[in-house]
Amino acid sequence: MGGTFDPIHNGHLVAASEVAAALNLDEVLFVPTGQPWQKDGVTPTSDRYLMTEIATAANPRFKVSTIDIDRSGPTYTVDTLRDLKAAYPDAELFFITGADAVTAIAGWKDSEELWGLAQFVAVTRPGHQLDLPAAPEGAIQVLEIPALAISSTDIRERVSEGKPIWYLVPDGIVQFIAKHGLYGGVK
Ligand code: NAP
């Protein structure tokens, strides 16, 4: 499961759990982006990584990978999947991420190679209109996840406005954000 996770929230966790159940996955590897492609002002990778570890710690089927953080330069999914294929040569890989990201795949680096590396799972909220990119038959599955009404953008805004984020993110993430004064919140 790839994402900026700035911050990780309960929508991501429910999505991972639902996809794992629907596709009978052995585990979900959360892969926080290193330097996200074409994005400025993202929270330092160390904070996003730690929040991802904290949020997933209680679930034995959830793991976190630093594969995108450890690679220098911008994060491209083709590199993520090549590295994961090398690390898990016998695994069947599914790349789970937000549907809005998947709609832009045609513009990603080496996009034609992506279809051979993993199956893509686009998670979206119900009723959200999607323009899926041209892809080989069955290469992209779409799963509606009601909990994805929660968004990282909304959480960042709520923190900066002093509004509560309890129950939108795990308790440990509320505390981590407050302790480190992330998103313009009061320490
Ligand atoms: P984004 O543009 O920040 O997010 C697009 C939408 O998808 C947002 O609504 C976001 O909601 C949601 N989303 C993102 N990750 C999600 C996840 N794991 N589960 C559920 N919803 C998710 O997307 P991003 O975080 O930068 O990128 C997502 C993934 O695509 C990353 O692994 C990234 O490396 C990859 N990507 C690759 C390329 C490339 O290879 N050129 C380009 C773009 C993205 P939230 O903000 O609430 O998460």
Side-chain angles (χ1 to χ4, degrees):
M1 178 177 239
T4 308
F5 302 131
D6 192 15
I8 191 163
H9 54 66
N10 287 340
H12 297 129
L13 298 167
V14 172
S17 169
E18 288 288 299
V19 173
L23 303 183
N24 202 18
L25 305 183
D26 293 325
E27 65 178 39
V28 179
L29 195 59
F30 287 72
V31 188
T33 54
Q35 182 191 331
W37 188 75
Q38 287 191 338
K39 257 193 200 175
D40 294 323
V42 171
T43 303
T45 46
S46 54
D47 287 331
R48 293 185 292 109
Y49 163 72
L50 280 172
M51 288 192 281
T52 309
E53 281 284 9
I54 290 165
T56 56
N59 188 328
R61 286 184 185 240
F62 287 177
K63 308 234 164 81
V64 183
S65 167
T66 57
I67 211 161
D68 280 350
I69 292 172
D70 295 341
R71 196 184 319 102
S72 59
T75 295
Y76 297 112
T77 296
V78 72
D79 297 326
T80 313
L81 292 174
R82 282 177 189 150
D83 289 353
L84 288 175
K85 201 86 189 166
Y88 303 90
D90 300 326
E92 187 183 359
L93 298 179
F94 294 81
F95 186 79
I96 311 165
T97 198
D100 285 343
V102 171
T103 56
I105 266 184
W108 292 7
K109 185 184 164 207
D110 298 335
S111 59
E112 284 306 312
E113 190 185 332
L114 292 171
W115 312 124
L117 290 168
Q119 293 181 54
F120 283 75
V121 184
V123 289
T124 181
R125 67 190 67 96
H128 184 67
Q129 284 299 325
L130 265 189
D131 278 329
L132 285 179
E137 176 96 25
I140 304 176
Q141 301 183 56
V142 180
L143 241 81
E144 289 191 345
I145 310 287
L148 281 177
I150 303 172
S151 85
S152 298
T153 306
D154 179 48
I155 289 164
R156 293 194 300 271
E157 283 173 6
R158 292 182 71 89
V159 174
S160 74
E161 291 165 3
K163 293 180 180 166
I165 56 167
W166 291 107
Y167 317 116
L168 299 173
V169 298
D171 293 357
I173 303 302
V174 181
Q175 288 151 345
F176 187 96
I177 289 171
K179 179 173 173 179
H180 296 278
L182 300 184
Y183 313 125
V186 183
K187 267 197 206 189

